[in-house]
Amino acid sequence: MILRPATGGDVADVLALEREAFGVDAWSETAVREELTGPRRTAVVARAADGRLCGYAVTSVAGDVVDLQRVAVAPAHRRQGLARRLLREALPGGPTMLEVGAGNAAARALYAAEGFVEIAVRRRYYRDGSDAVVMRRDARP
Ligand SMILES: CC(C)(COP(=O)(O)OP(=O)(O)OC[C@H]1O[C@@H](n2cnc3c(N)ncnc32)[C@H](O)[C@@H]1OP(=O)(O)O)[C@@H](O)C(=O)NCCC(=O)NCCS
């Protein structure tokens, strides 16, 4: 598995995995391109030896806090520590925030395991009316 910074050449594969992982909440192609290559973003992709996209993570900077925008791993590669590796690669050691779907048990467990704590709930944050949990980490454990 190779982890490296994302480029414009990753847009099509990230878009496909984005749609698989997030359905109606998936970013558009334009949004994926902006998130992978835009300013104040850090995007990391993981590719298998055969070139297949296995996962990606995107962060953005807002002042002195980094926001985790996305982390996704292809279903066949889950529970092998890849999301953990992507987060460690994409996130700096300082203060970090994120929002996660209240019903997304896998992601909430991942973030808790990586040292994030729940600080707030945003009611009806998502398009389907579900809540978001806001999590924060002051520094990498
Ligand atoms: C959430 C997601 C990124 C996790 O990816 P992953 O590569 O399977 O995660 P890892 O293997 O690195 O897991 C690290 C830890 O997170 C927790 N975890 C991950 N998936 C879990 C699950 N399904 N159930 C419970 N705990 C889970 C565990 O503590 C795990 O450590 P362990 O395997 O030693 O028990 C993946 O399930 C995914 O892509 N989901 C769809 C997209 C999404 O919801 N992204 C998050 C919102 S942006």
Side-chain angles (χ1 to χ4, degrees), residues 7 10 15 41 48 53 55 61 66 71 73 101 118 131 134 136 139:
T7 69
D10 295 309
L15 182 63
R41 298 283 194 278
L53 182 74
V61 181
V66 169
V71 57
V73 170
E118 299 181 5
D131 298 343
V134 184
R136 181 184 167 94

Side-chain angles (χ1 to χ4, degrees), residues 24-25 101-103 121-132:
V24 295
D25 289 315
V121 174
R122 293 200 175 131
R123 299 281 169 213
R124 304 187 62 79
Y125 181 80
Y126 294 104
R127 232 179 274 185
D128 66 358
S130 61
D131 298 343

Side-chain angles (χ1 to χ4, degrees):
M1 191 74 65
I2 296 162
L3 273 66
R4 60 158 174 79
T7 69
D10 295 309
V11 169
D13 289 344
V14 168
L15 182 63
L17 182 46
E18 179 73 19
R19 288 177 175 159
E20 182 174 11
F22 299 106
V24 295
D25 289 315
W27 286 331
S28 67
E29 182 172 356
T30 305
V32 168
R33 186 171 297 280
E34 278 168 13
E35 296 290 341
L36 295 191
T37 63
R40 295 179 297 283
R41 298 283 194 278
T42 298
V44 176
V45 294
R47 288 197 180 266
D50 65 2
R52 204 171 322 162
L53 182 74
C54 302
Y56 59 94
V58 179
T59 70
S60 66
V61 181
D64 52 7
V65 176
V66 169
D67 282 306
L68 177 64
Q69 300 292 344
R70 282 291 201 252
V71 57
V73 170
H77 296 274
R78 289 182 187 165
R79 292 315 288 267
Q80 295 162 40
L82 183 53
R84 210 189 276 269
R85 281 183 66 192
L86 283 162
L87 292 188
R88 291 183 183 180
E89 194 76 20
L91 291 172
T96 310
M97 303 270 296
L98 60 83
E99 281 108 20
V100 57
N104 191 343
R108 288 176 72 172
L110 165 70
Y111 300 142
E114 284 297 294
F116 286 85
V117 294
E118 299 181 5
I119 58 168
V121 174
R122 293 200 175 131
R123 299 281 169 213
R124 304 187 62 79
Y125 181 80
Y126 294 104
R127 232 179 274 185
D128 66 358
S130 61
D131 298 343
V133 175
V134 184
M135 301 182 81
R136 181 184 167 94
R137 183 174 76 183
D138 288 329
R140 203 196 307 268

